[in-house]
Every structure is written in structure tokens, then in C-alpha cells.
Amino acid sequence: MPRRIAIQRSVMAADEKIAEKIRKDLSKRGVLMLNLIGSPGSGKTSLLEWTLKDTLFRSVVLEGDVATSRDAERIARTGTPVVQINTRGGCHLEANLVEKALEGLEMDGVDVVFVENVGNLVCPAEFDLGEDHKVALCSVPEGPDKPLKYPHLFMRAEAVLLTKVDLLELLGFDRDLFWKDVKELNPRAERLEVSALRGDGMSDWVSLVQSWVRAKRP
Ligand SMILES: Nc1nc2c(ncn2[C@@H]2O[C@H](COP(=O)(O)OP(=O)(O)OP(=O)(O)O)[C@@H](O)[C@H]2O)c(=O)[nH]1
Ligand SMILES: [Mg+2]
Ligand SMILES: [Zn+2]
């Protein structure tokens, strides 16, 4: 078994170098990259569909899924350039996949690369894709206890979004507990409540992305 561990380490080390290269290349161009991470169905694609209605920044999207191009088809309907990455069983994106996906995209004039990671609350947090920020999504139906049970993502995220807040009352969601635990894990993270169904919090989210875009411009 030790041999297997060594192989995994070297693969991860190579991938970390690719992530650094992606970060450097995008920074030279003044392009922001965001890595959206959350459970399957937490509302990542819905958040993007809403965000891409905004024309103040130009975006491209990389869609990570185990199989199908369904999410890429949804994004393409917004008119935004998109590449689908299928991991064929893999439960997270890696920098080498992102590097390949970026090769085919025209980046002139682009402000933001949104990466939707594979739906998974656990290991995507461990893999650097070369992003500027990780954005954690947790939806109301998942329950308020998730931050402490799956802490790594919440600890590393620059922003935590509680999604589907239109369901707060229906599901008796304890939002005080949720935010108390998030603050305990990561007091500096931006904290937003959004609903892609009703539009709650979307202008705050778009403003946050815009502030990151401005900070990135040369
Ligand atoms: N009530 C409610 N439902 C939502 C909201 N946002 C998304 N949904 C629904 O939640 C389901 C999953 O949404 P997606 O945006 O596809 O979730 P996802 O995180 O991209 O899912 P994967 O890509 O499979 O991991 C869909 O049926 C959406 O219509 C919301 O704000 N409120
Ligand atoms: Mg999706
Ligand atoms: Zn994984």
C-alpha cells in the first residue's frame, strides 16, 4: 500500500504546479477565477444562470460533472461560452482538467471564469484549481448542521452562500445555528443568503463578484 500513497502524492504535486500556472496566467490577464463548490443539487447551476444575466462583467463557465452535458446546455442558453468537463466517475475537478478546458476558450475581454465543481461537499475543497476564491454553497434542504459536519470547505471559502432561502420557513431551517457555525469555522468569509427562485440576495452576490473583478483588474 505505501507505493500507492506515493503515486497519489506525486500526482497531486504535479497538479499543484498546474494550478499555480493557471493562477499566474489568469492574473497576468487580470481574469478572476471562482471555484463554486457544494453538494449535488445545492443550486450551483441555478446561481450561475441568474448571475450570467448580468452584463457588467464578461464570463466563461467550466462545468464539472461526472456525466452528461446537461449543465453546460443550461449555461449555453444564457449565451455564455461554456465547456463541459466530464470526470467519468471522478468526484472532484483537478487543475489538469481545468487547464485543458481553458485551452479551447477565447479569453480576450473575459473578466471571470466561473468553475462549477462536481456536486460534492467534501473533496473538491482539497483540490486547488488555480482559482482566486472558493465559494461554498449550502442549500436550506440540506439542513443547518452541515458546516460543522463538513468543515473543510467552509473553512477555506472566501464566501459562503446559503441557497434556496425561499424554503427557510417551510423547512423550519435554523439559520442562527447555521451562521453561528460558519462564523466559528471562518469568521472572515462573506456570508450571503440567496434564492435563485425569487432573486433574494442576488444583487449582493453580483456586487461581491464585481468587487472581486475590480480587485483583479491590472
Ligand atoms: N426552491 C428553490 N429551488 C431551487 C433554488 N435554486 C435551485 N433550485 C432547484 O434545485 C434543484 C437543483 O438545482 P441546480 O442548480 O441544478 O443544482 P446544482 O448544485 O447545480 O446540482 P449539480 O450540478 O447536480 O450538483 C433544481 O431543481 C432547481 O430548480 C432556489 O433558490 N429555490
Ligand atoms: Mg449543476
Ligand atoms: Zn473527489
Side-chain angles (χ1 to χ4, degrees), residues 23 38 44 58 62-63 77 91 110 117 202 208 214:
R23 191 160 16 248
K44 299 177 292 298
R58 291 200 28 208
L62 309 185
E63 274 296 342
R77 285 197 276 277
C91 49
V110 169
N117 218 306
M202 285 297 168
L208 178 63
R214 276 196 297 273

Side-chain angles (χ1 to χ4, degrees), residues 91-92 120 123-124 127:
C91 49
H92 57 266
N120 181 345
C123 57
F127 289 82

Side-chain angles (χ1 to χ4, degrees), residues 103-156:
E103 275 168 15
L105 281 169
E106 176 57 60
M107 295 300 287
D108 277 352
V110 169
D111 298 303
V112 193
V113 179
F114 287 102
V115 181
E116 178 179 338
N117 218 306
V118 178
N120 181 345
L121 200 51
V122 186
C123 57
E126 311 294 332
F127 289 82
D128 184 7
L129 304 181
E131 73 273 358
D132 293 285
H133 306 307
K134 289 179 173 59
V135 175
L137 285 82
C138 183
S139 65
V140 167
E142 291 169 60
D145 57 349
K146 294 303 169 286
L148 288 192
K149 290 173 74 176
Y150 303 89
H152 295 96
L153 170 62
F154 296 92
M155 286 159 69
R156 287 170 191 168

Side-chain angles (χ1 to χ4, degrees), residues 23-207:
R23 191 160 16 248
K24 246 194 210 160
D25 290 351
L26 291 180
S27 288
K28 256 191 232 156
R29 293 169 165 272
V31 178
L32 174 76
M33 181 165 136
L34 299 178
N35 183 0
L36 270 53
I37 303 176
S39 304
S42 53
K44 299 177 292 298
T45 311
S46 303
L47 178 81
L48 284 176
E49 286 174 315
W50 191 286
T51 309
L52 298 169
K53 287 182 194 165
D54 193 278
T55 53
L56 292 174
F57 42 79
R58 291 200 28 208
S59 310
V60 297
V61 176
L62 309 185
E63 274 296 342
D65 281 292
V66 172
T68 83
S69 54
R70 286 188 171 182
D71 280 1
E73 286 158 23
R74 286 169 63 185
I75 297 299
R77 285 197 276 277
T78 70
T80 308
V82 57
V83 176
Q84 180 76 54
I85 303 170
N86 281 146
T87 59
R88 297 196 183 125
C91 49
H92 57 266
L93 288 179
E94 292 175 11
N96 63 84
L97 301 173
V98 170
E99 185 184 43
K100 278 192 205 108
L102 284 172
E103 275 168 15
L105 281 169
E106 176 57 60
M107 295 300 287
D108 277 352
V110 169
D111 298 303
V112 193
V113 179
F114 287 102
V115 181
E116 178 179 338
N117 218 306
V118 178
N120 181 345
L121 200 51
V122 186
C123 57
E126 311 294 332
F127 289 82
D128 184 7
L129 304 181
E131 73 273 358
D132 293 285
H133 306 307
K134 289 179 173 59
V135 175
L137 285 82
C138 183
S139 65
V140 167
E142 291 169 60
D145 57 349
K146 294 303 169 286
L148 288 192
K149 290 173 74 176
Y150 303 89
H152 295 96
L153 170 62
F154 296 92
M155 286 159 69
R156 287 170 191 168
E158 193 73 16
V160 176
L161 271 62
L162 178 62
T163 61
K164 311 192 189 182
V165 293
D166 53 284
L167 298 172
L168 277 170
E169 276 183 26
L170 186 68
L171 298 180
F173 185 92
D174 187 345
R175 56 139 70 97
D176 291 342
L177 173 69
F178 179 83
W179 289 122
K180 180 177 86 56
D181 290 348
V182 169
K183 272 188 230 172
E184 193 180 308
L185 290 168
N186 185 349
R188 286 202 307 264
E190 299 282 346
R191 296 184 293 271
L192 297 175
E193 295 188 350
V194 299
S195 165
L197 193 70
R198 291 194 314 213
D200 310 29
M202 285 297 168
S203 59
D204 291 338
W205 159 245
V206 169
S207 299

